[in-house]
Amino acid sequence: MQEFRYKARNKDGSATQGIIEAENEQAAASLLISKNIFPIDIKAGAESSLSGFSFGKKISRKDKVFFIRQLATMTKAGLPISQALSTLLEQSTKANVKKMIEQMTRDIEAGGTLSAAFGAFPETFTKTDINMIASGEASGKIDEVLVHMAVQTEKSYKTLKKIKTVFIYPAFLTLVVIGVVTGLMIFVLPQMEDLYSGFDVQLPIPTRILISLSHFLARYFLLVILIAVAIFVSLRIYTRTNETGKYIWHRFKINIPIVGKFVQLSYLSIFTRTLSSLVASGVPILDSLKIVSEAMPNVVYTDSIMQVRGKVKQGKSLSASVKEDELFPVLISQMIGVGESTGELDSMLKNMADYYDNELDAMTKSLQSLMEPIMIVIMGGIVGTIIICILLPVYSIQNFVKK
């Protein structure tokens, strides 16, 4: 499947444009016609603009959150989309955001839809965003959909910030430990070795091992750095471009002791909130599950959601399908079951998303309070071991001096 950018006219003759996935141009055209959209031009690839305008970098998550929230507020107040965009354009101070809004305004004023205007910026707006807008346009509830979208975007942004907050401190301390150990091995230990060489004593085995490592690092320091960087880059490429490597890495992330539980909670929050927003926007459940699977940042969850979708397509209920997958807690299947029986699936999913967000908040605080003492103990243990190995010969030297 590949993406095609199209210009077309609706059944009533109004202009529209957007992005569609298909095997080839002919398949894309057939798919559009089946939706009563009659293509004028279809091009492969994802250019930045239908008019050939070249855009700068994508906008930040923070700017995206602000843009959607402001747009939702204005449309909820009754402002037409084009007027709301014009107002946002006047308020915007960042060049890349202004360029984006200018192009969106031109597309809307030319008769295009808001979903097509969003679709012109795939580097900023996800398929979830575009499908939610399209469903809101079809149902005539674009203001409500934008509010849902604003809430979801804000929550996703906060979830990502929580994840970064948990891992920034350990990463910083790890770098500090590496720096301190490297300094001791390359600069301090050689000086101590010169001191010990003045005495005719045999150094303890731990000290001799440490001195050998010090010699190796001093001689091959740049080579060690290059090898470490090469291994890191190779693993990163392998886990990002190779499907097997990506699956192994993503499976490992959710199984790391303590931290894995936190990662799982973040994925469950994304799953429930995204699915809730899509269902509330009127997107069919099969389409919603496909969009959610693509929105998941972990391929293990992507595969599981697609398996759930396959079972739902065969006629099973969503709750029963989710219950059979070990990645989803029993609580989720139970709440989905309640939602299906009461016709309030979107509300139940939203409640579950809020529940997981609260769990994430509590776990973030717990992990932050745990990480500091754990990392300090590890750091102290490593540095302390090196210092003990350096000082061990002092006892042998004292005995030599007494003799």
Side-chain angles (χ1 to χ4, degrees):
M1 298 286 280
Q2 55 180 317
E3 288 187 344
F4 292 90
R5 196 173 286 278
Y6 66 87
K7 290 181 181 179
R9 290 198 176 276
N10 292 314
K11 198 173 182 180
D12 59 3
S14 60
T16 186
Q17 53 194 3
I19 298 172
I20 190 170
E21 281 190 350
E23 294 291 339
N24 50 50
E25 285 190 24
Q26 187 176 354
S30 299
L31 189 57
L32 288 168
I33 292 170
S34 69
K35 297 179 178 180
N36 289 323
I37 300 173
F38 304 98
I40 299 171
D41 183 42
I42 298 177
K43 292 181 180 178
E47 300 170 2
S48 295
S49 167
L50 297 173
S51 61
F53 189 84
S54 178
F55 297 101
K57 296 185 294 182
K58 70 174 184 178
I59 68 173
S60 67
R61 288 183 181 273
K62 189 175 182 180
D63 289 334
K64 177 185 173 181
V65 169
F66 181 78
F67 168 74
I68 294 175
R69 170 56 69 186
Q70 293 293 96
L71 185 60
T73 302
M74 291 180 189
T75 53
K76 191 72 175 175
L79 283 179
I81 293 292
S82 58
Q83 189 176 340
L85 287 172
S86 298
T87 304
L88 284 172
L89 181 59
E90 292 175 5
Q91 294 176 352
S92 179
T93 57
K94 296 188 177 181
N96 56 346
V97 178
K98 287 180 77 74
K99 285 180 180 179
M100 181 189 75
I101 299 175
E102 283 173 356
Q103 183 59 38
M104 291 178 76
T105 304
R106 284 197 293 269
D107 290 344
I108 296 293
E109 289 176 349
T113 61
L114 184 61
S115 57
F118 271 47
F121 298 88
E123 73 282 0
T124 296
F125 300 105
T126 65
K127 290 181 180 179
T128 304
D129 300 330
I130 296 165
N131 278 276
M132 285 177 65
I133 295 295
S135 66
E137 290 170 333
S139 63
K141 298 179 179 178
I142 189 67
D143 55 337
E144 294 179 14
V145 168
L146 280 168
V147 171
H148 277 299
M149 189 173 166
V151 171
Q152 179 190 320
T153 306
E154 286 175 343
K155 292 285 186 180
S156 298
Y157 176 66
K158 288 177 181 177
T159 299
L160 287 172
K161 281 189 72 175
K162 289 170 192 170
I163 295 172
K164 288 179 180 178
T165 300
V166 168
F167 292 107
I168 282 174
Y169 186 70
F172 172 74
L173 278 184
T174 300
L175 289 175
V176 170
V177 170
I178 292 172
V180 170
V181 170
T182 303
L184 287 172
M185 296 289 283
I186 295 178
F187 301 109
V188 177
L189 197 56
Q191 294 181 18
M192 298 302 294
E193 184 186 3
D194 291 340
L195 174 65
Y196 300 148
S197 64
F199 300 92
D200 187 19
V201 294
Q202 185 177 15
L203 300 178
I205 292 176
T207 305
R208 279 182 278 160
I209 292 173
L210 206 62
I211 289 173
S212 298
L213 284 174
S214 174
H215 289 166
F216 179 81
L217 281 176
R219 185 175 299 177
Y220 302 109
F221 181 72
L222 288 178
L223 181 62
V224 169
I225 294 296
L226 288 173
I227 291 174
V229 170
I231 291 172
F232 174 79
V233 172
S234 299
L235 286 174
R236 191 168 179 82
I237 292 172
Y238 178 66
T239 56
R240 287 197 168 198
T241 59
N242 183 277
E243 291 301 320
T244 303
K246 186 185 291 187
Y247 189 89
I248 292 171
W249 170 238
H250 286 189
R251 172 64 73 175
F252 172 74
K253 281 200 292 187
I254 62 177
N255 288 320
I256 301 172
I258 303 175
V259 175
K261 177 67 175 175
F262 178 83
V263 175
Q264 289 176 38
L265 283 174
S266 68
Y267 293 151
L268 291 173
S269 172
I270 293 170
F271 168 74
T272 49
R273 191 166 298 285
T274 306
L275 187 57
S276 168
S277 298
L278 289 167
V279 171
S281 301
V283 180
I285 191 65
L286 289 176
D287 293 340
S288 295
L289 287 169
K290 186 174 187 300
I291 295 166
V292 171
S293 71
E294 294 170 350
M296 296 302 293
N298 188 299
V299 295
V300 178
Y301 278 85
T302 296
D303 291 346
S304 288
I305 294 169
M306 288 305 292
Q307 289 174 16
V308 168
R309 182 179 182 273
K311 293 173 183 177
V312 172
K313 193 173 182 179
Q314 292 172 1
K316 275 192 176 182
S317 67
L318 178 59
S319 56
S321 302
V322 168
K323 187 177 182 180
E324 293 174 2
D325 196 298
E326 61 178 11
L327 283 179
F328 297 101
V330 176
L331 182 60
I332 285 186
S333 63
Q334 291 175 341
M335 294 297 284
I336 288 175
V338 173
E340 288 174 325
S341 61
T342 60
E344 298 289 337
L345 180 58
D346 57 327
S347 297
M348 288 298 170
L349 286 167
K350 181 180 177 299
N351 291 339
M352 287 303 302
D354 291 339
Y355 167 76
Y356 286 121
D357 283 342
N358 291 333
E359 288 288 297
L360 272 174
D361 283 333
M363 197 163 189
T364 299
K365 292 173 184 175
S366 298
L367 281 175
Q368 284 175 329
S369 61
L370 279 173
M371 283 292 185
E372 185 171 351
I374 289 173
M375 291 303 296
I376 288 173
V377 168
I378 293 173
M379 181 177 176
I382 294 172
V383 175
T385 300
I386 293 174
I387 291 174
I388 288 170
C389 290
I390 292 173
L391 296 178
L392 273 176
V394 172
Y395 298 103
S396 300
I397 291 171
Q398 282 180 337
N399 293 331
F400 176 79
V401 170
K402 287 177 181 179
K403 291 178 181 179

